[in-house]
């Protein structure tokens, strides 16, 4: 089991989705498994799925790209506490359920601006994980 967390501008976890054995598509369209309101996201921007003991991410030919820890990727293996930037939205991936911290704040290194440039926005979730 893993978590994909939407991060607010100050670095707090704004929304969280559990990623299990089913692949999850992330994008701005209602047909995505995880819908995020961000006009700079493609309708179906990227996908995360489990393969064996690993979780993988694949960019779904998005216009603005998918960035994992500051590097633009077409596909990559995710690891614990990796930062994912898509559009102006910042996510954190965690292979283990996040423990509740008093302020719900992520590590400072993950709160930095995404390498893709631009301003992060707080993107409200339109529908929770299915």
């Amino acid at each position: 089991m893993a978590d994909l967390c939407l991060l607010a501008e100050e670095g707090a976890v704004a929304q969280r989705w559990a990623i299990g054995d089913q692949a999850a598509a992330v994008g701005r369209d209602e047909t995505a498994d995880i819908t995020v309101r961000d006009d700079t996201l493609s309708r179906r921007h990227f996908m995360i799925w489990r393969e064996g003991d690993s979780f993988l991410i694949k960019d779904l030919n998005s216009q603005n790209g998918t960035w994992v820890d500051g590097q633009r990727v077409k596909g990559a293996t995710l690891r614990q506490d990796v930062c994912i930037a898509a559009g102006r939205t910042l996510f954190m991936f965690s292979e283990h359920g996040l423990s509740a911290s008093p302020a719900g704040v992520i590590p400072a290194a993950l709160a930095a601006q995404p390498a893709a440039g631009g301003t992060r926005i707080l993107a409200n979730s339109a529908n929770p994980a299915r």
Side-chain angles (χ1 to χ4, degrees):
M1 188 68 99
D3 290 323
L4 181 66
C5 299
L6 173 71
L7 302 178
E9 190 161 325
E10 72 278 1
V13 173
Q15 182 74 35
R16 181 181 318 197
W17 300 272
I19 308 293
D21 292 332
Q22 298 286 342
V26 178
R28 73 172 194 268
D29 194 78
E30 295 293 325
T31 63
D33 300 303
I34 297 172
T35 302
V36 179
R37 293 185 186 137
D38 176 352
D39 290 339
T40 61
L41 283 178
S42 293
R43 287 179 176 88
R44 293 174 61 88
H45 199 99
F46 65 87
M47 182 171 287
I48 296 177
W49 74 97
R50 183 178 183 162
E51 193 170 286
D53 290 337
S54 299
F55 284 89
L56 306 172
I57 187 170
K58 178 182 179 184
D59 182 82
L60 298 175
N61 298 317
S62 66
Q63 184 174 358
N64 294 320
T66 300
W67 302 74
V68 175
D69 273 350
Q71 300 294 316
R72 189 171 185 163
V73 299
K74 291 289 185 188
T77 300
L78 297 173
R79 63 189 192 305
Q80 177 70 15
D81 293 338
V82 69
C83 184
I84 301 167
R88 291 186 306 242
T89 304
L90 190 60
F91 300 91
M92 182 178 68
F93 174 83
S94 178
E95 285 189 65
H96 310 285
L98 295 174
S99 59
S101 63
V105 176
I106 62 162
L110 295 177
Q113 289 294 329
T119 305
R120 279 185 297 154
I121 61 171
L122 171 60
N124 295 324
S125 167
N127 60 339
R130 297 175 187 176

